[in-house]
Amino acid sequence: MAILLVLVLLFAFSSPSYALPSSPSFVPKDNFLIDCGAENAPALPDGRQFKSDPQASSFLQANDDFKVSSPDVNVPSPIYSNSRIFIQEAKYSFHLVEPGFHWIRLHFYPIKNNVFDLQKATFSVNTDTFVLLHSFNVNNTDKAILKEYLINVTQPQFTLSFIPLKNSAAFINAIEVVSAPENLIFDTGSGLFPVAEVNGLTTYAFQPVYRLNNGGPLITSSNDTLGRTWESDEPYLTNKNAAKSVSVATNVIKFPENMPTISPLIAPQTVYASASEMGETGINLPNFNVSWKFDVDTSFSYLIRLHFCDIVSKGLNQLYFNVYINSKVAIPNLDLSAITGALAAPYYKDFVVNATLMTQGLTIQVGPGATNADSGNANAILNGIEVMKISNTVNSLDGEFGVDGRRIGGSNRGTVAAVGFAMMFGAFVGLGAMVIKWHKRPQDWQKRNSFSSWLLPLHAGDTSFMSTVPTSPAPTAPAPTAPPTTTVDTPPVDHQEVNNNNNNTNNNNNAEVQAIDDHSGTAMFAQFSNLNGRCPVSRAWVILSSGLTLILVYDPPPNIFS
């Protein structure tokens, strides 16, 4: 008996210490639950008590007082049987006790009424900083809709604004503003492309769009301390035959004390007590994967939280598998027991997937690792999946507009517009200068060799800044000796006419260019010769304004159109 007692004590001191599986009760310091439009709010089956509309009147700022109710409607909760309707912008404001992450849950159900057809209602919902919904519509659904958000509120006052579209309306059935645990979201995550640590996550807002209990049943808010709902992963499996469910009793799950950030507040024991594993264990094919596919808004980045718990191995260091996200290796050769030091111990990891990797949606896969390829125990598991949308650069979770009216990429477009306006303004300045000079031209301008006299600025008495090129025709190269040809009868040639045409051609090919600098008020001249007849002008002037506009004015030679 003494030997047995010694062995028990030795085992106790040599093994890692774990907390017994429990469901700790989290008491939020901020807990605002409003049943909008309800005269008497009932207690829910999960024990939560919502405030009725009269009890919550101090939170609401609205010019409308439209309340509708339908007690007999078929909805999953009584909070969906009442609603407030706003034809004008309305606000719910809350004074928070403690800053930090808060759950924001908005409940919608389009109750039939005589005020407004809520199937056609289109509106936006904003906080002081973030856009939650932009031009939202229930899209002709007759089902209850829950929109859930996780926002780091840093100010004591928190406001929800409901803004109906013009000639439309906004509505809300119930609102939840509840404190979240301190360590629910950390500031860092693992980036996939490029592979690096991503910092600053606490400055963003999140919208949970998928929360799965892999291999297990639906988990309602009654079985989750934080009021979350976890659905089955079966609808998201790309090949249901490639996976099978496995589960253990919840009291088998042990949360290690040396990893305090992993607790039932991250996910309940029920999530870790079930898993989806490979449908045929022992398959060593490297391309054999269990896959889950999700439809997402590809213009946003996402935070992916994956939950693991080795409930399939018989001993330590027997399970090695790979984790992939959108064909990128997220975790190679994952050995859960090496991380946690035990079996049936929960573990989770966060990944940040940039929008550039979301063009084809979101796919998560697990497959056998290379380490146990020869062991005959090839397997892969996944216990839970959370997919959370991350707010974009203008602090929006829906659309490309921010609360302050900013638009994604708007600053770049503004710069381009400013440059274009400056160029257009410069063009008008240059054109105006040319017109003024034209009207001030001397009366005998046609008798002069060029327009330089009337295009000069007013202070052009000093011509030392000018450089001119002689206007004499360029010398003509001697014609090459023609090869012998057969004599052909041709009309007689008038040599005097040929000489005259050559002289005209040389004159026409000499184009005088004048550049005017609007800033300095000076002029520069250059002459281009031997244009080979490609420019049918006798004189050409280039006006360069401050907007880099090029204007060509030419004096056509006589009979150019004859």
Side-chain angles (χ1 to χ4, degrees):
M1 188 63 155
I3 296 176
L4 180 61
L5 180 60
V6 171
L7 291 176
V8 170
L9 292 175
L10 181 62
F11 177 79
F13 283 104
S14 61
S15 301
S17 58
Y18 296 92
L20 292 176
S22 59
S23 297
S25 59
F26 173 72
V27 180
K29 293 187 177 180
D30 295 311
N31 191 28
F32 299 96
L33 309 176
I34 303 176
D35 190 353
C36 305
E39 294 298 327
N40 298 290
L44 300 186
D46 57 13
R48 293 181 297 166
Q49 179 66 54
F50 279 68
K51 292 182 179 295
S52 65
D53 204 80
Q55 292 172 329
S57 59
S58 61
F59 303 123
L60 177 62
Q61 305 165 22
N63 296 326
D64 304 312
D65 193 26
F66 301 117
K67 307 175 186 178
V68 295
S69 178
S70 180
D72 299 328
V73 69
N74 184 20
V75 287
S77 172
I79 61 175
Y80 291 103
S81 60
N82 308 283
S83 180
R84 287 286 306 236
I85 301 177
F86 307 112
I87 306 299
Q88 304 178 52
E89 180 178 351
K91 297 182 178 181
Y92 281 91
S93 298
F94 308 91
H95 184 77
L96 305 182
V97 175
E98 184 179 53
F101 274 102
H102 285 66
W103 294 109
I104 312 298
R105 297 186 177 106
L106 307 177
H107 301 265
F108 302 98
Y109 180 79
I111 299 174
K112 294 181 180 180
N113 62 89
N114 297 325
V115 179
F116 195 89
D117 184 0
L118 300 185
Q119 293 280 1
K120 300 179 180 179
T122 305
F123 56 97
S124 298
V125 182
N126 300 340
T127 72
D128 304 280
T129 307
F130 296 97
V131 174
L132 305 184
L133 294 170
H134 176 71
S135 296
F136 169 72
N137 182 273
V138 297
N139 201 21
N140 295 323
T141 184
D142 57 353
K143 297 181 180 179
I145 298 174
L146 168 62
K147 295 291 185 179
E148 186 177 38
Y149 307 92
L150 195 55
I151 299 177
N152 190 10
V153 184
T154 58
Q155 301 297 324
Q157 197 74 11
F158 177 74
T159 302
L160 284 170
S161 300
F162 293 81
I163 309 169
L165 201 65
K166 186 177 181 181
N167 299 326
S168 188
F171 73 96
I172 183 68
N173 298 75
I175 297 174
E176 299 180 48
V177 179
V178 183
S179 298
E182 182 179 0
N183 294 327
L184 189 62
I185 297 290
F186 286 92
D187 196 54
T188 60
S190 299
L192 291 181
F193 187 75
V195 178
E197 190 175 76
V198 180
N199 298 311
L201 293 180
T202 54
T203 62
Y204 294 89
F206 302 89
Q207 180 184 0
V209 288
Y210 297 100
R211 189 182 289 120
L212 307 185
N213 178 27
N214 292 33
L218 172 70
I219 301 175
T220 64
S221 58
S222 301
N223 300 317
D224 185 288
T225 304
L226 302 183
R228 296 167 296 192
T229 299
W230 303 72
E231 58 180 318
S232 171
D233 69 319
E234 185 176 350
Y236 305 96
L237 285 166
T238 59
N239 183 359
K240 294 179 174 57
N241 295 326
K244 66 179 181 180
S245 300
V246 59
S247 62
V248 297
T250 55
N251 60 3
V252 174
I253 306 303
K254 304 175 179 66
F255 290 89
E257 291 183 350
N258 62 343
M259 303 176 72
T261 58
I262 302 178
S263 73
L265 296 179
I266 297 297
Q269 286 97 328
T270 311
V271 171
Y272 293 112
S274 64
S276 292
E277 66 172 350
M278 288 172 51
E280 296 184 24
T281 58
I283 296 179
N284 296 324
L285 297 177
N287 59 349
F288 184 92
N289 297 310
V290 183
S291 302
W292 295 264
K293 178 73 174 178
F294 303 93
D295 292 328
V296 294
D297 187 339
T298 58
S299 60
F300 285 84
S301 299
Y302 285 80
L303 177 67
I304 312 298
R305 175 169 290 181
L306 302 180
H307 300 269
F308 304 96
C309 188
D310 189 354
I311 59 175
V312 300
S313 298
K314 303 300 181 183
L316 301 178
N317 309 117
Q318 293 183 357
L319 178 64
Y320 299 87
F321 60 97
N322 299 325
V323 181
Y324 308 90
I325 299 178
N326 281 0
S327 302
K328 302 291 183 182
V329 177
I331 311 177
N333 280 323
L334 175 60
D335 180 6
L336 294 171
S337 61
I339 297 175
T340 62
L343 301 177
Y347 172 73
Y348 76 93
K349 191 169 180 62
D350 290 340
F351 300 92
V352 177
V353 185
N354 292 331
T356 54
L357 295 178
M358 306 294 289
T359 55
Q360 302 298 323
L362 175 64
T363 301
I364 298 174
Q365 298 172 302
V366 293
T371 304
N372 62 346
D374 300 327
S375 65
N377 296 321
N379 198 1
I381 65 170
L382 188 54
N383 300 72
I385 301 174
E386 291 184 80
V387 179
M388 291 178 271
K389 183 192 294 185
I390 304 176
S391 56
N392 58 24
T393 55
V394 294
N395 293 335
S396 174
L397 283 162
D398 187 19
E400 56 183 6
F401 291 94
V403 173
D404 54 2
R406 290 182 301 148
R407 185 175 183 177
I408 294 178
S411 58
N412 294 335
R413 282 193 287 267
T415 302
V416 174
V419 172
F421 177 80
M423 293 180 66
M424 180 180 67
F425 179 77
F428 280 112
V429 171
L431 183 60
M434 185 187 69
V435 172
I436 291 174
K437 293 297 183 181
W438 171 263
H439 285 290
K440 292 184 178 181
R441 69 190 185 279
Q443 297 295 328
D444 58 345
W445 63 272
Q446 290 180 324
K447 299 179 180 179
R448 305 191 181 189
N449 294 330
S450 70
F451 289 170
S452 58
S453 60
W454 58 267
L455 277 176
L456 284 175
L458 297 178
H459 63 281
D462 179 12
T463 60
S464 61
F465 59 86
M466 295 188 300
S467 62
T468 60
V469 179
T471 59
S472 59
T476 304
T481 303
T485 57
T486 304
T487 303
V488 179
D489 292 333
T490 57
V493 178
D494 188 345
H495 296 282
Q496 182 63 34
E497 182 180 355
V498 171
N499 292 332
N500 293 336
N501 291 337
N502 289 337
N503 292 333
N504 290 335
T505 302
N506 289 334
N507 291 334
N508 293 340
N509 286 341
N510 295 329
E512 182 181 3
V513 177
Q514 175 176 353
I516 296 179
D517 186 338
D518 291 336
H519 296 290
S520 63
T522 62
M524 293 178 294
F525 301 89
Q527 186 175 29
F528 296 91
S529 302
N530 296 327
L531 299 181
N532 297 324
R534 287 174 294 179
C535 181
V537 299
S538 60
R539 298 179 180 89
W541 294 268
V542 180
I543 310 301
L544 295 177
S545 73
S546 60
L548 301 180
T549 303
L550 186 66
I551 303 175
L552 183 66
V553 182
Y554 64 87
D555 178 20
N559 303 324
I560 189 172
F561 296 112
S562 59

